[in-house]
Amino acid sequence: MDENFQEEQFTGIIKFTPPLYKQRYQFIKDLVGKYKPKKVADLGCADGTLLWMLKFCSCIEVLAGLDICASVMKEKMHRLSPLPGDYLQPTERSLTVTLHHGSVAHKDPCMLGFDLVTCIELIEHLEEFELKKFPEVVFGFMAPSIVVISTPNCEFNPLLPGVTLFRHPDHKFEWNRAQFQSWALETARRYDYSVEFTGVGHPPIGMENVGFCTQIGVFVRKYPQTSESAQTEKPTEAVYKTVFKAVYPSLKDEKYLQNAVVSEVIFTAQIIKQSLLDHLMSEHEEYEDDPTERKSKFQPSVSCLSEDLGKLVVEKSMEPFVNGNVAYIPLTTIFYFPKVNRLCGTFEKLCKLIAGKVTLSSDGSAVIFNSEHENEEN
Amino acid sequence: MTGRARARARGRRPGQETAIPSVGAAAVKQTLPSQLPSHQQPQQPYVRPSVSEEPGSCGRQSGPQSVPQGQKGGRPEGLQISSGFQDLSVAEWGGRRRGFHDLGVTTRQAIEHVRESKTHICLPLILGSSGDMIKLTANYFLLTSRPQWALYQYHVGYSPEMEARRLRSALLFRHEEIIGKTHAFDGSILLLPKKLGNKVTEVFTRTRNGDGVKITITLTNELPPTSPTCLQFYNIIFRRLLKMLNLQQIGRNYYNPSDPISIPNHRLMIWPGFTSSILQSEESIMLCVDVSHKVLRSETVLDFMYRLYNQVEEQRFRDACAKELIGLVVLTKYNNRTYRVDDIDWDANPQCTFRKADGSEISYVDYYKKQYNQEITDLNQPVLISQSRRKTGTMMPVSVVLIPELCFLTGLTEKMRNDFNVMKDLAIHTRLPPEQRQREIGRLIGYIQKDDNVQKELRDWGLSFDSNLLSFTGRVVRGEKIFQSGNVFDYNPQFADWSKESRGVPLICAKPLDNWLLIYTRRNYDVANTLLQNLFKVTPSMGIRMNKATMIEVEDRTEAYLRALQRSITPDTNIAVCILSSSRKDKYDAIKKYLCTDCPIPSQCVIARTLSKPQTAVSVAAKIALQMNCKMGGELWSVEIPLKQVMIVGIDCYHDTVSGKRSIAGFVASLNQTMTRWFSRCAVQSRGQELVDGLKVCLQTALRDWFKWNKYLPSRIIVYRDGVGDGQLHTLVNYEVPQFLDCLKSFGKDYNPRLTVIVVKKRVSTRFFAHSGGALKNPPPGTVVDVEVTRPEWYDFFIVSQAVRSGSVSPTHYNVVYDTSKLKPDHLQRLTYKLCHMYYNWSGVIRVPAPCQYAHKLAFLVGQSIHKEPNLLLSDRLYYL
């Protein structure tokens, strides 16, 4: 990780490369890569940059953001919407992104059941009464397996140019390492979590004693997953307001699965049909380096393939064949194409999904194409 | 049908290639950068643009906006409040698309005779001359804003100066108690729906570092609702609304991804959506909404390459890729951006590295993995290159590298466009008849009215829309009489087609086929003979004298065709007809190139398959006979043209996207009073040269030829200029028109013809529906609209000239940007409509005046096949039909 941190010679001006906020987000991304949480909440999500980065992590199925300011969330919330590409090739994983407007001092059941809760540069913005309630809400009520809390380390402040009191006018306090660690250890003890301390933003050479610019505590819950029933015992009313919600298309949704299967089946069947016709043609005619010609010529060659030959193949029933103007591509053949197979899993599922959506032979065993209209021209 | 463009025009009327709106390439064209948007005083049509045009630059100006020289006048320096058109562009919000609507180009004021009224004053009692009235509905909604609605424009200055836009915004927005919750800010210009208490407001704030900052908010403009900035702003607000409705922006339009129409046969996906714009129209501000369909493909560029690889031979693979992919728009998987593929770099692959903004090197594989968690599986794929159209400060275009595996295809490839089945399957979903189109348009207004957030945003800015489509009255001008050597006939106005009526009627001028070649391959011997027989059947009634062709059998190779032509063409050869066994372009190109440049004689290529169907063979032969006759300089029919001594010019452009990126302008000018003979020439733009230089040369030679034919120079010249991109109107008005005038001057002091320049635009989102028996129908051909939906600053009108068999008809927009002819609007409109009857490749009314369509055909042939200027010996014939 150290290669990300590249300080210039300490000249009195500290410049972090990449910028410190990116390093904080990267820290979370790395953590997600390590623990593979399914449900992640970001408290104090502001414009949702971290959520936007996390939506690309394929392990995550639920993403939630919470902020006290609705307008800052609204500013860029649309980048959390699914992309056209997500609709074009829906993935297996499902993903729901929700933004809530509310305070970390209040409990809302929508925050239950998360695996990871991040509070990046949040606590220093809390008023005293909010900070007091914060541990109970996050560790007691939400009780995720992991909580990450980052906050400025004020010991670093003398190295930052122009910082007199706090780094940001809205900060209510900035702690030194001892203050943060004692608060964190006490909180961890009370709610049965373990905590480890780290940080981002290395101090310049020779000034290592001040510690990281941003200090981070990673809290891991010591007791096992609270059961569903335990959660329902916590009666609370919904107090947050949903600002934004996006449900990503996923193959878990029947509608998208069906679309994907139908489109793959027809496409596969067409490939088989084309290669079948090409094959038939090459048997009947010398090779012509011209695709349009091939098409125009195929009519007679297909009729050469007389009825009885067609019947011969139909008995085998596993082979695609052409009978007159109609091409038969057995579903069993299509089913063994890897993409189709992966999508459906079982043959029964395949049949169920394409029912009514794909033209099948009368016994339902094959996809049929009527090649007559193919050649239709004005 | 024959000829290279046959496939494109197949089953469609000429000039109707874009019958499916906004698919693929169409959308690209619309997002081309706008050049030099201008903001001018209406009284001064030819002043320079008022603000510096570097994108974003005006947003950074710290002082008051600079004003055009002419109007700065006696105003004192320093702060001033002005209301009016002295506007700046909302650069950051409008982004690269500003100027799209050609806002600020005001031309009407300079045209004396239409300053007061450009409408044909139509007295219902004087029937016949003015046309019948028709009740129409357009896809426009009235924007109703509160009375005295104005937008207040403030300049926001920071002391000390702040660079970062984000920081500037963040600091300003802390003072919402002063500026209010409803605002729009681009880092420098602040727009508010309300006026602040003071002209200059100062607030103090602190940065995160604790530094004190003084923010000065100064009122610079009160924008009336009709100012271009205001209009741009309405459009920005409206885009916000569409986003709030969860519509996905792709390119310029918004689409609804939740209900896609899937066409698995072709791996196509259609997203229904809307294109919208808010425009100043004649009397009020209107929202124009049309249905748009985005064609997306559920395969990546890499999938497509694999598939192509299996279809073509190895050595042709790269060429095939280039041909199919270059010019297409792709959509990246990881963000919502569209890019146009300009090149394919076969020497690069995803393992190549690039330098990030922070200076570090990273490979594409690692970058996409790290940034977007996107796995690239094929490490040997080439990369796509897209030239960024955002011009940077240095004017050096930046190219973007894209990974095929991470890009979805959008739109249609040339091959798909030529595939009858694909187009048919698409048309079912995209060609909406009037009733259905109106319903879809109404849905958007429904969404807007139902959504609380959207309603709130509208209320905050004091905006609202009428929920009914705009209704008004248009006119239908009479159908023309078609004259064909002594015969006069009417056509059924509903179909605007006289192919039946003209059958068996002799042509105005028939060119004999005394000495002509018919070249075919061995396999097509029968086809060639049948064609010959059928030509013998159909030509006598047309008045075409015909001898048996010199029949030449060749091998099916390009060189064989060329050798046969070289050997057999004599100075007496009228025309060479080649029967091709396939639609392979190289053979066609080679033949056309040889016969248009080295050995200039008319030529006719026919694909054997077109001739092979017995049931259509005779009618195909008849069409070919007509086409050949035109190519040899014959004339088919005419309409009555009352204007004398007038030369009509048509110009259209072809932009070569594949090789060399050259533009070609087709230039066609009438040579005779009846508009049946045309002079045709093209201007091939060489690198670094303006197209207009070539057009000047064309106009000069056209006038000389006119003189040769008529022994005098025309007293009026009317130019129909097609192929003007969005946002290019300004350039046309300010550079091209003066060049034309310049050119006319070169013919001597005494020569002062009246010049009219009309910009023809086929790609408009305006639609008209006619009320007929309680239902909405397409308006009949000849419908003219010059009220309500036209623009007050322009002398413009719409004409529906063609009839369509399916979907909604699309009107053509005519914008008269320069006119000293003093012709009444009604006369100009009717002349325009008459000219739509004169395209000889279609016995019916087409969508644009014939010279535009001829110019299009010429430019297309040169751009696609010949790549250099054809021999001028051919210029008095329609050899490119």
Side-chain angles (χ1 to χ4, degrees):
Chain A
M1 210 202 304
D2 265 359
E3 64 206 34
N4 290 337
F5 300 72
Q6 184 201 347
E7 308 110 52
E8 286 157 26
Q9 212 54 319
F10 183 57
T11 53
I13 295 170
I14 296 265
K15 203 183 147 217
F16 293 103
T17 320
L20 202 56
Y21 79 95
K22 281 196 181 162
Q23 293 191 29
R24 286 192 287 260
Y25 292 158
Q26 190 58 46
F27 179 87
I28 302 295
K29 259 184 102 171
D30 293 340
L31 210 68
V32 166
K34 190 171 157 198
Y35 291 102
K36 306 249 179 279
K38 276 190 173 171
K39 296 178 81 178
V40 180
D42 184 26
L43 310 185
C45 64
D47 65 1
T49 305
L50 178 61
L51 294 171
W52 174 76
M53 287 173 74
L54 292 178
K55 82 168 192 163
F56 294 105
C57 296
S58 51
C59 59
I60 297 176
E61 294 179 2
V62 174
L63 267 178
L66 174 68
D67 207 284
I68 193 76
C69 174
S71 62
V72 68
M73 281 195 285
K74 279 181 183 169
E75 216 173 276
K76 291 185 179 172
M77 63 183 181
H78 290 289
R79 68 180 163 164
L80 297 172
S81 299
L83 296 168
D86 294 319
Y87 289 98
L88 289 173
Q89 261 181 14
T91 53
E92 187 56 43
R93 80 148 164 169
S94 60
L95 173 64
T96 306
V97 185
T98 322
L99 294 179
H100 302 284
H101 176 210
S103 160
V104 288
H106 297 133
K107 296 174 183 174
D108 186 300
C110 71
M111 282 293 157
L112 291 174
F114 280 83
D115 302 309
L116 170 65
V117 168
T118 59
C119 311
I120 304 303
E121 308 293 273
L122 166 75
I123 55 169
E124 65 275 11
H125 291 273
L126 301 180
E127 298 285 354
E128 207 180 324
F129 75 94
E130 293 169 319
L131 183 67
K132 223 174 235 162
K133 286 184 179 164
F134 172 79
E136 170 52 25
V137 173
V138 175
F139 294 91
F141 174 72
M142 298 182 192
S145 354
I146 303 172
V147 178
V148 181
I149 295 177
S150 86
T151 190
N153 165 21
C154 69
E155 290 165 76
F156 200 96
N157 285 4
L159 299 180
L160 299 171
V163 174
T164 43
L165 180 62
F166 296 139
R167 296 180 192 177
H168 189 275
D170 188 55
H171 285 182
K172 308 300 185 298
F173 60 87
E174 279 177 10
W175 280 337
N176 61 27
R177 280 171 290 173
Q179 287 169 310
F180 176 57
Q181 288 176 12
S182 81
W183 176 87
L185 286 166
E186 167 55 21
T187 305
R189 189 195 55 75
R190 190 172 342 147
Y191 295 99
D192 201 14
Y193 277 68
S194 66
V195 58
E196 277 180 37
F197 297 100
T198 175
V200 292
H202 280 277
I205 296 151
M207 316 285 271
E208 285 85 355
N209 58 328
V210 302
F212 290 107
C213 188
T214 298
Q215 46 183 338
I216 300 175
V218 180
F219 300 75
V220 179
R221 196 183 54 211
K222 289 203 242 170
Y223 58 95
Q225 175 90 47
T226 11
S227 68
E228 290 293 323
S229 60
Q231 283 178 1
T232 50
E233 275 168 33
K234 299 172 177 175
T236 35
E237 271 180 54
V239 288
Y240 299 164
K241 243 181 92 184
T242 307
V243 172
F244 170 88
K245 185 171 180 178
V247 179
Y248 278 59
S250 147
L251 294 174
K252 290 201 177 90
D253 182 337
E254 184 96 339
K255 176 178 134 192
Y256 291 107
L257 180 64
Q258 183 173 47
N259 276 343
V261 170
V262 167
S263 124
E264 204 55 46
V265 163
I266 292 181
F267 186 69
T268 309
Q270 273 193 332
I271 290 176
I272 299 173
K273 182 198 76 177
Q274 199 51 51
S275 64
L276 180 69
L277 294 180
D278 291 351
H279 182 68
L280 282 174
M281 280 230 316
S282 58
E283 276 178 10
H284 287 266
E285 242 191 272
E286 83 244 19
Y287 176 69
E288 281 269 358
D289 154 39
D290 192 316
T292 44
E293 205 140 316
R294 223 179 287 171
K295 230 188 228 164
S296 65
K297 279 255 155 180
F298 110 74
Q299 206 80 36
S301 61
V302 172
S303 3
C304 292
L305 194 91
S306 60
E307 294 267 318
D308 48 1
L309 184 57
K311 275 199 189 104
L312 200 82
V313 192
V314 86
E315 252 119 51
K316 280 196 203 159
S317 102
M318 275 297 287
E319 292 294 324
F321 67 97
V322 176
N323 186 1
N325 283 324
V326 185
Y328 292 81
I329 320 292
L331 281 179
T332 42
T333 314
I334 294 169
F335 179 65
Y336 285 108
F337 269 68
K339 260 193 180 166
V340 180
N341 198 291
R342 217 179 314 126
L343 282 170
C344 307
T346 64
F347 188 72
E348 288 66 39
K349 184 115 190 240
L350 168 70
C351 297
K352 202 184 132 218
L353 284 168
I354 63 168
K357 299 272 177 185
V358 179
T359 320
L360 296 179
S361 58
S362 53
D363 63 347
S365 69
V367 176
I368 57 169
F369 287 105
N370 195 328
S371 43
E372 193 161 51
H373 70 268
E374 288 268 308
N375 272 349
E376 188 182 297
E377 276 276 338
N378 63 320
Chain B
M1 282 209 185
T2 45
R4 166 70 13 191
R6 142 207 43 79
R8 298 201 71 192
R10 189 185 285 157
R12 280 171 272 155
R13 255 148 239 236
Q16 225 176 299
E17 282 85 344
T18 51
I20 295 177
S22 293
V23 293
V28 191
K29 185 137 190 220
Q30 289 169 350
T31 55
L32 281 174
S34 52
Q35 288 181 10
L36 299 167
S38 69
H39 309 284
Q40 307 164 346
Q41 287 279 72
Q43 289 78 13
Q44 293 176 300
Y46 294 128
V47 295
R48 291 185 299 113
S50 61
V51 286
S52 80
E53 294 302 335
E54 196 68 23
S57 67
C58 47
R60 287 282 109 75
Q61 278 172 325
S62 46
Q65 294 305 317
S66 59
V67 229
Q69 299 303 318
Q71 59 189 86
K72 213 159 187 174
R75 282 215 195 95
E77 285 297 315
L79 293 182
Q80 50 201 264
I81 300 168
S82 63
S83 60
F85 290 90
Q86 165 219 334
D87 268 305
L88 47 114
S89 64
V90 191
E92 304 271 342
W93 304 308
R96 61 207 156 107
R97 287 186 255 282
R98 79 209 158 103
F100 178 74
H101 299 297
D102 294 310
L103 293 175
V105 182
T106 58
T107 42
R108 181 174 155 199
Q109 283 300 314
I111 305 172
E112 211 179 308
H113 65 288
V114 290
R115 218 173 279 158
E116 296 306 319
S117 167
K118 63 176 179 185
T119 310
H120 171 65
I121 296 146
C122 187
L123 302 171
L125 288 175
I126 311 166
L127 282 171
S129 67
S130 53
D132 300 329
M133 311 296 268
I134 183 171
K135 214 169 139 27
L136 294 175
T137 295
N139 55 341
Y140 284 62
F141 297 92
L142 197 70
L143 178 79
T144 47
S145 45
R146 65 180 183 221
Q148 301 299 310
W149 201 90
L151 204 55
Y152 299 91
Q153 177 185 318
Y154 290 86
H155 174 264
V156 183
Y158 294 80
S159 168
E161 196 55 49
M162 300 276 140
E163 271 307 309
R165 181 177 155 190
R166 272 178 76 129
L167 183 59
R168 291 164 78 105
S169 310
L171 292 175
L172 180 70
F173 293 168
R174 277 196 218 147
H175 299 280
E176 281 192 345
E177 79 282 357
I178 295 169
I179 62 170
K181 278 203 178 303
T182 311
H183 47 66
F185 184 56
D186 78 336
S188 176
I189 301 163
L190 175 72
L191 294 179
L192 298 177
K194 60 160 195 176
K195 197 171 178 174
L196 299 183
N198 301 313
K199 212 166 114 180
V200 180
T201 311
E202 287 187 351
V203 293
F204 293 89
T205 191
R206 272 183 190 287
T207 66
R208 167 188 296 242
N209 298 338
D211 299 333
V213 178
K214 184 173 85 176
I215 304 177
T216 314
I217 307 166
T218 314
L219 182 66
T220 51
N221 244 334
E222 278 182 28
L223 303 169
T226 52
S227 75
T229 304
C230 241
L231 286 172
Q232 260 176 321
F233 183 70
Y234 293 138
N235 279 294
I236 292 153
I237 296 271
F238 199 75
R239 282 211 286 274
R240 270 194 209 170
L241 301 182
L242 294 172
K243 235 182 221 173
M244 288 167 100
L245 290 168
N246 273 326
L247 295 176
Q248 275 273 357
Q249 182 177 12
I250 303 178
R252 216 174 52 84
N253 300 329
Y254 285 81
Y255 299 91
N256 182 1
S258 55
D259 263 321
I261 304 157
S262 164
I263 308 179
N265 289 11
H266 313 294
R267 296 215 124 178
L268 292 178
M269 195 92 100
I270 304 172
W271 284 10
F274 303 98
T275 165
S276 72
S277 53
I278 297 176
L279 283 172
Q280 170 73 48
S281 67
E282 220 53 67
E283 260 132 52
S284 37
I285 297 166
M286 301 270 190
L287 165 71
C288 172
V289 178
D290 195 20
V291 177
S292 165
H293 290 98
K294 188 77 196 168
V295 177
L296 296 164
R297 319 253 293 267
S298 37
E299 64 183 345
T300 64
V301 176
L302 187 66
D303 292 337
F304 180 80
M305 285 176 159
Y306 286 155
R307 205 145 57 84
L308 201 61
Y309 188 79
N310 288 327
Q311 284 169 7
V312 303
E313 305 126 73
E314 178 108 36
Q315 68 268 27
R316 271 177 54 203
F317 174 59
R318 288 185 180 192
D319 282 346
C321 276
K323 205 182 141 210
E324 293 279 332
L325 292 172
I326 289 176
L328 277 191
V329 172
V330 296
L331 182 75
T332 47
K333 257 186 185 180
Y334 41 86
N335 60 16
N336 192 11
R337 291 258 180 84
T338 50
Y339 299 89
R340 207 175 80 139
V341 179
D342 291 308
D343 202 1
I344 302 171
D345 187 350
W346 295 94
D347 298 325
N349 64 49
Q351 293 175 85
C352 293
T353 60
F354 69 101
R355 196 175 285 278
K356 288 208 291 184
D358 64 7
S360 58
E361 287 264 337
I362 188 166
S363 74
Y364 296 110
V365 190
D366 293 343
Y367 174 77
Y368 285 110
K369 175 74 197 151
K370 219 178 136 205
Q371 192 75 11
Y372 300 107
N373 204 38
Q374 296 286 338
E375 301 273 2
I376 297 173
T377 52
D378 184 336
L379 296 178
N380 295 316
Q381 60 190 307
V383 300
L384 310 175
I385 309 288
S386 175
Q387 305 294 352
S388 168
R389 269 155 278 142
R390 272 171 209 249
K391 294 252 169 73
T392 51
T394 51
M395 296 301 275
M396 276 286 285
V398 182
S399 57
V400 178
V401 171
L402 301 164
I403 308 296
E405 194 175 347
L406 302 181
C407 296
F408 286 107
L409 288 163
T410 74
L412 302 171
T413 60
E414 193 64 25
K415 208 159 139 195
M416 294 169 113
R417 273 180 210 285
N418 291 342
D419 185 329
F420 179 71
N421 291 307
V422 172
M423 298 314 281
K424 194 179 69 183
D425 290 350
L426 270 178
I428 296 169
H429 303 287
T430 56
R431 287 205 193 152
L432 305 181
E435 282 279 330
Q436 206 180 337
R437 187 172 282 268
Q438 183 232 19
R439 231 180 356 257
E440 293 295 318
I441 292 166
R443 260 171 53 178
L444 180 66
I445 291 296
Y447 290 152
I448 288 174
Q449 280 166 346
K450 260 180 251 150
D451 193 298
D452 293 340
N453 290 328
V454 171
Q455 282 300 313
K456 186 179 176 302
E457 180 86 19
L458 281 171
R459 266 199 311 277
D460 288 345
W461 288 101
L463 299 171
S464 61
F465 297 101
D466 198 338
S467 54
N468 293 317
L469 291 170
L470 179 76
S471 288
F472 55 94
T473 310
R475 286 176 291 131
V476 185
V477 300
R478 263 189 316 190
E480 291 294 323
K481 290 204 179 318
I482 306 294
F483 297 87
Q484 200 164 314
S485 40
N487 297 281
V488 183
F489 46 82
D490 293 307
Y491 55 87
N492 182 340
Q494 205 189 327
F495 304 116
D497 178 300
W498 51 88
S499 45
K500 270 204 194 83
E501 289 81 353
S502 64
R503 198 173 292 156
V505 181
L507 310 177
I508 291 182
C509 167
K511 294 282 173 184
L513 283 164
D514 292 331
N515 188 347
W516 61 293
L517 309 179
L518 182 56
I519 304 176
Y520 53 92
T521 60
R522 185 170 57 85
R523 255 187 337 150
N524 291 324
Y525 174 75
D526 290 341
V527 172
N529 260 313
T530 318
L531 175 65
L532 194 64
Q533 299 310 317
N534 286 330
L535 284 175
F536 272 120
K537 260 186 230 162
V538 297
T539 46
S541 69
M542 296 174 181
I544 301 173
R545 187 175 76 225
M546 183 173 124
N547 288 335
K548 187 173 184 296
T550 312
M551 307 277 283
I552 306 166
E553 190 171 293
V554 294
E555 270 179 75
D556 196 2
R557 284 182 300 114
T558 307
E559 308 80 64
Y561 276 92
L562 289 181
R563 219 177 306 120
L565 290 169
Q566 273 157 12
R567 269 195 216 135
S568 320
I569 290 174
T570 67
D572 300 329
T573 308
N574 304 120
I575 192 166
V577 181
C578 299
I579 297 180
L580 304 178
S581 51
S582 73
S583 56
R584 276 274 290 275
K585 192 171 171 294
D586 45 1
K587 217 173 277 166
Y588 175 86
D589 290 356
I591 292 169
K592 283 291 172 190
K593 192 166 185 171
Y594 178 67
L595 294 179
C596 286
T597 58
D598 303 328
C599 174
I601 66 154
S603 56
Q604 177 74 54
C605 291
V606 195
I607 292 172
R609 193 144 54 102
T610 327
L611 300 166
S612 62
K613 283 196 184 131
Q615 62 271 32
T616 56
V618 177
S619 65
V620 168
K623 272 188 184 159
I624 291 173
L626 292 177
Q627 204 176 357
M628 283 161 57
N629 190 54
C630 294
K631 286 180 173 181
M632 294 185 293
E635 299 157 42
L636 306 189
W637 64 78
S638 68
V639 294
E640 193 203 348
I641 308 272
L643 271 183
K644 305 285 178 253
Q645 299 184 17
V646 55
M647 179 166 97
I648 306 286
V649 175
I651 299 172
D652 197 3
C653 293
Y654 172 85
H655 302 288
D656 192 347
T657 48
V658 183
S659 55
K661 300 214 166 60
R662 292 191 306 178
S663 291
I664 287 138
F667 180 102
V668 173
S670 65
L671 287 171
N672 59 356
Q673 156 69 20
T674 48
M675 315 281 171
T676 54
R677 293 300 302 264
W678 301 88
F679 164 85
S680 309
R681 186 170 178 180
C682 73
V684 180
Q685 177 194 24
S686 43
R687 222 170 273 279
Q689 198 197 352
E690 290 294 331
L691 206 52
V692 69
D693 297 338
L695 291 177
K696 254 174 102 173
V697 176
C698 291
L699 182 59
Q700 246 155 11
T701 31
L703 282 166
R704 271 190 221 117
D705 264 45
W706 168 284
F707 188 81
K708 261 184 241 160
W709 275 66
N710 301 292
K711 307 292 173 247
Y712 59 85
L713 283 169
S715 60
R716 290 175 198 273
I717 298 168
I718 300 177
V719 179
Y720 287 93
R721 175 70 160 91
D722 202 345
V724 180
D726 295 312
Q728 289 178 356
L729 191 62
H730 174 263
T731 321
L732 183 106
V733 169
N734 288 278
Y735 301 98
E736 210 166 295
V737 174
Q739 294 286 310
F740 286 149
L741 291 168
D742 229 39
C743 174
L744 297 178
K745 265 189 214 145
S746 68
F747 280 82
K749 264 205 196 85
D750 308 331
Y751 183 53
N752 272 317
R754 294 173 167 187
L755 177 69
T756 307
V757 180
I758 306 169
V759 173
V760 180
K761 207 165 174 184
K762 298 188 288 283
R763 205 170 281 145
V764 290
S765 41
T766 305
R767 305 282 166 159
F768 300 124
F769 310 121
H771 297 263
S772 163
L776 290 185
K777 294 265 167 60
N778 276 318
T783 302
V784 177
V785 173
D786 55 9
V787 291
E788 298 280 351
V789 294
T790 47
R791 304 254 289 254
E793 74 273 27
W794 290 349
Y795 169 19
D796 61 336
F797 52 88
F798 292 90
I799 299 183
V800 175
S801 48
Q802 80 280 27
V804 294
R805 272 173 286 180
S806 62
S808 304
V809 70
S810 175
T812 304
H813 183 250
Y814 297 91
N815 184 5
V816 188
V817 295
Y818 185 87
D819 186 15
T820 52
S821 76
K822 301 229 161 44
L823 279 179
K824 280 189 200 153
D826 182 43
H827 291 167
L828 196 59
Q829 289 162 2
R830 284 175 56 197
L831 175 68
T832 304
Y833 183 53
K834 282 170 185 288
L835 288 167
C836 296
H837 290 70
M838 291 304 295
Y839 183 64
Y840 283 161
N841 230 3
W842 184 267
S843 35
V845 194
I846 62 164
R847 210 176 143 180
V848 291
C852 285
Q853 191 62 23
Y854 287 138
H856 166 79
K857 279 286 263 184
L858 172 61
F860 188 80
L861 175 74
V862 173
Q864 280 265 309
S865 305
I866 305 179
H867 306 293
K868 62 178 186 182
E869 209 190 322
N871 198 307
L872 284 182
L873 286 174
L874 291 168
S875 66
D876 63 344
R877 278 162 276 182
L878 301 169
Y879 61 95
Y880 44 82
L881 263 194

